[in-house]
Amino acid sequence: MNFLKFAFFCFAASVFAGPLLINQLGFNPESEKFALVPGSDANDAEIRDMDGKTILKIKAPLVYDWNYSGEEVQTYDFSSIKTPGVYRLYRGGEYLGNPIIIDNHAYENLTKAALKWFYFQRVSAPVDYQYGGKWMRASGHPDDKVIVYGTDESTKKGYEEATGKKAPKELKVISSPKGWYDAGDYGKYIVNSGITVFTLLELYENFSSYMDTLSWNIPREYKNYPAILEEVRYNLDWMLSVQDNDGGVYHKVTTLAFGGPVMPEKDGAPRYAILKSLTATLDFAATMAQASVVYKKFDKAYAEKCLKASELAYAWAKKNPKALYKQPSDVETGNYTHSGEDAKDEFRWASAELYRATKKANYLKELKENPFTNNGAWWGDVNMLAVFRVALDEAFPKDVKDAAKKVMMNEANNLRAVGDSSGYHLPAFDWSWNWGSNSAMANNAMVLLHAYLLTKDKSYVDGAQQVLDYLIGKNPMEISYVTGFGFRSPRKPHHRPSQCDLVDDPVPGMLVGGPHLGKQDINLDGKDAWKCPNYASSEKPALAYLDDECSYATNEVAINWNAPLAYVAGALQAIYQGISPSVKK
């Protein structure tokens, strides 16, 4: 693009006439391309290039209500424009909003940044200037001397209350370095690592020919690995360190309470490996089984190590089917549990991954005895991860595959129907508007993309495109929810390094949690001065967002939110480039 021409055009063009809600990064030539205009004053429009030449005329669209924001909106479809370039949408001779960009590689830098953020989250290592630039930082949390919770005098009472067992007599310390900081805080959690690692490895498995060639600026220890597998191994190594000799896996490595807003090297409170749990152990088993398949091509010894750890963990889970995590009274960090938890979904996922990795009959038997549900994916329900695995892998018998395909396609078709009838064309259910709503949207897009991998029906790609459009600008807040990307993006995420590093710009590539009406961080009674003002007074979930460090409910970041962002952006880029998916149906 000729920048001087663009700048002159901005100043010389007609008066700006209002918002245009669009994907702020741009569109691939082959993608579905929608722009939204709030309001009911439907008028004809036209798309002009930067020389002012009319490229497309669009008739006045229908007006739709969107309940999640309380708006009337109208959609302009310019999918027929396939020539890369920069354009404007005009109505009545005046242009709306920001420029429209069409680019063959619109999502490649986004994919790289979403993946590189995991490097910025590395524990026990510095972010060096040559890799992190102005976001460099010192190493934090060596975690080479982590106390096993309940074995020191200060936590024995809490251990006994939580487990109903007598605390061990001797102090136990383990070495548990590496891994990723889970979110805006400095904890490391197995449950959340499980779905995160799955999603990143799934991106590699589904699009290996694309990911084999994609690289970004991170330190390389295993130079025969693709970059994504280098990064994922950094977390897998930590996960392996929290498996006990009996196969059980500690739920998390954290301090007893959340630390304050300081850089990681300043957070010096004792770190604990806190309680072995059923869900953590099964998530570990599933992840390690998947890793054993993926890494076998590059590192046979490491793959075998992962598989051995996986089978040992699964055996522990079978022996301890009631060992659900209970948060001790003296522990305040994230508990990663939910009401109604029974671990059936974790058993389902682990047995599916282990059967693929080993072909052992007992895992298939247990998978068949634990039928798929219709539940979508989040850390608290990993049923859909098992569905993805079985539906798209030739290792499974036809009857089990058919059951998985039915669940997946039913969910995908429901999502597409919602998107087609939605004012914002967003494939979202009512339950999608919860803590981490942006992640729920991205996980919905993953369902649609898996349906595409199964059927090659481009309508599912279109649905995923609408999700990505929403995340990076086509939303009522007129913001890209990814730091550093788009015309407007979050400036004050709830992320300790970004809050404390004295750099004006937040670490780039982070997907913030997004709007919802949970109000967990709002100062409703006026007594909690450190909480946020009531930004959700409208009672519309799509408007309940605040770009402020206080808003941990809407503006925090998390590894399990960035992973599906990376999957969706990377998958769409690969598909539009015509790169064949790597699935064995």
Side-chain angles (χ1 to χ4, degrees), residues 6-148:
F6 176 50
F8 174 80
F9 187 84
C10 287
F11 284 105
S14 301
V15 177
F16 172 75
L20 182 69
L21 306 181
I22 57 168
N23 174 331
Q24 295 179 13
L25 291 190
F27 302 88
N28 184 275
E30 299 305 316
S31 72
E32 188 173 56
K33 307 175 190 73
F34 289 164
L36 267 66
V37 178
S40 59
D41 57 337
N43 292 295
D44 294 351
E46 57 185 51
I47 305 289
R48 300 180 191 174
D49 65 17
M50 299 308 284
D51 291 317
K53 179 182 178 181
T54 298
I55 305 300
L56 178 69
K57 294 184 177 181
I58 309 172
K59 289 293 184 182
L62 297 175
V63 176
Y64 289 90
D65 293 323
W66 202 49
N67 185 55
Y68 297 124
S69 63
E71 296 173 287
E72 292 180 317
V73 294
Q74 46 205 293
T75 298
Y76 291 93
D77 184 347
F78 53 98
S79 301
S80 62
I81 301 179
K82 298 182 183 296
T83 303
V86 182
Y87 304 88
R88 285 281 199 185
L89 188 145
Y90 281 75
R91 292 197 312 174
E94 298 180 334
Y95 69 76
L96 301 185
N98 295 110
I100 296 166
I101 300 166
I102 299 178
D103 181 358
N104 284 308
H105 300 278
Y107 311 130
E108 190 157 293
N109 286 335
L110 175 62
T111 304
K112 290 179 179 180
L115 290 167
K116 183 167 181 175
W117 180 64
F118 290 92
Y119 167 69
F120 287 109
Q121 291 295 99
R122 286 190 183 187
V123 186
S124 316
V127 172
D128 293 329
Y129 177 77
Q130 63 178 312
Y131 304 112
K134 63 184 178 182
W135 297 285
M136 61 183 173
R137 62 166 172 79
S139 178
H141 305 97
D143 285 345
D144 54 348
K145 295 179 182 178
V146 172
I147 303 165
V148 174

Side-chain angles (χ1 to χ4, degrees), residues 260-311:
V262 296
M263 292 300 286
E265 71 272 18
K266 298 292 186 180
D267 184 48
R271 305 267 281 184
Y272 289 85
I274 303 178
L275 301 184
K276 288 178 280 189
S277 77
L278 181 62
T279 50
T281 302
L282 285 168
D283 286 342
F284 173 98
T287 302
M288 290 299 162
Q290 181 188 20
S292 75
V293 174
V294 174
Y295 284 83
K296 187 175 182 178
K297 173 183 175 182
F298 303 96
D299 193 333
K300 186 177 179 182
Y302 190 69
E304 290 174 350
K305 180 179 181 180
C306 290
L307 184 56
K308 182 179 179 181
S310 174
E311 293 207 84

Side-chain angles (χ1 to χ4, degrees), residues 66 68 426 428-435 437 441 470 515-516 541-542:
W66 202 49
Y68 297 124
L426 181 66
F429 301 125
D430 289 346
W431 58 260
S432 301
W433 301 97
N434 210 322
W435 189 305
S437 64
M441 306 306 171
Y470 168 85
H516 67 101

Side-chain angles (χ1 to χ4, degrees), residues 414-478:
N414 287 339
L415 283 166
R416 196 65 181 110
V418 169
D420 287 343
S421 60
S422 161
Y424 270 75
H425 297 268
L426 181 66
F429 301 125
D430 289 346
W431 58 260
S432 301
W433 301 97
N434 210 322
W435 189 305
S437 64
N438 285 340
S439 172
M441 306 306 171
N443 282 322
N444 289 343
M446 284 189 65
V447 174
L448 292 162
L449 287 166
H450 278 74
Y452 167 77
L453 294 177
L454 186 64
T455 66
K456 294 299 184 290
D457 182 341
K458 188 179 177 292
S459 71
Y460 299 113
V461 175
D462 294 341
Q465 178 70 50
Q466 295 309 315
V467 171
L468 188 63
D469 289 356
Y470 168 85
L471 294 177
I472 50 180
K474 195 196 70 180
N475 57 65
M477 305 305 294
E478 200 178 354

Side-chain angles (χ1 to χ4, degrees), residues 66 70 118 177 181 205 223 291 318 343 416 468 528 533:
W66 202 49
F118 290 92
Y181 294 123
E205 290 204 67
K223 295 184 179 179
K318 293 293 290 181
R416 196 65 181 110
L468 188 63
D528 295 317

